[in-house]
Amino acid sequence: MFYKKDSSNYKEPLDGVNLKTLSYGENMSLVEFHLKKGCAVPLHSHPHEQIGYLVSGKLRFECEGEEFLAEPGDSWQFPSNVEHMAEVLEDSVAVDIFMPVREEYMS
């Protein structure tokens, strides 16, 4: 599967959080997030393993008692079923890989 960038079909599951599944396979999906300064992804967990990369902006994560300040070029990994959260400190763009596929993020 190939993906050609376009700005349509973004979902907004939370105020200030826009996402789009870019590519996916049988077992994983690649999701782009556009995040507005001041918004937050509240503490949550999911059965998906998550690996991410910050393209631009600044995020603050909390996971298992640890805090992490992510800046462009930084990455993260959250195991499945582990609670984590993110606070958006600057307008940001991040990409995450989820395994298995995040069905609810599909267009």
Side-chain angles (χ1 to χ4, degrees):
M1 171 190 276
F2 297 96
Y3 169 77
K4 195 71 158 165
K5 176 74 175 161
D6 78 44
S7 59
S8 64
N9 299 323
Y10 281 82
K11 297 180 178 205
E12 189 174 14
L14 299 169
D15 193 34
V17 176
N18 292 280
L19 66 88
K20 181 177 185 176
T21 297
L22 302 178
S23 296
Y24 61 93
E26 255 183 71
N27 300 308
M28 67 182 138
S29 53
L30 177 68
V31 180
E32 179 182 56
F33 291 86
H34 290 222
L35 307 154
K36 292 288 183 193
K37 178 181 179 178
C39 74
V41 178
L43 190 65
H44 68 286
S45 66
H46 42 73
H48 312 83
E49 183 175 6
Q50 176 180 353
I51 295 175
Y53 176 83
L54 189 61
V55 176
S56 63
K58 191 179 289 187
L59 304 174
R60 184 183 67 82
F61 290 104
E62 286 183 22
C63 181
E64 295 189 312
E66 285 189 59
E67 188 172 303
F68 179 69
L69 182 63
E71 298 176 303
D74 291 342
S75 59
W76 51 87
Q77 183 271 336
F78 300 121
S80 61
N81 300 310
V82 171
E83 288 190 330
H84 55 284
M85 63 80 65
E87 177 185 7
V88 183
L89 304 177
E90 297 177 359
D91 286 353
S92 300
V93 175
V95 292
D96 282 286
I97 296 170
F98 294 95
M99 186 172 166
V101 172
R102 290 289 301 252
E103 297 287 342
E104 70 273 27
Y105 290 173
M106 303 301 283
S107 297

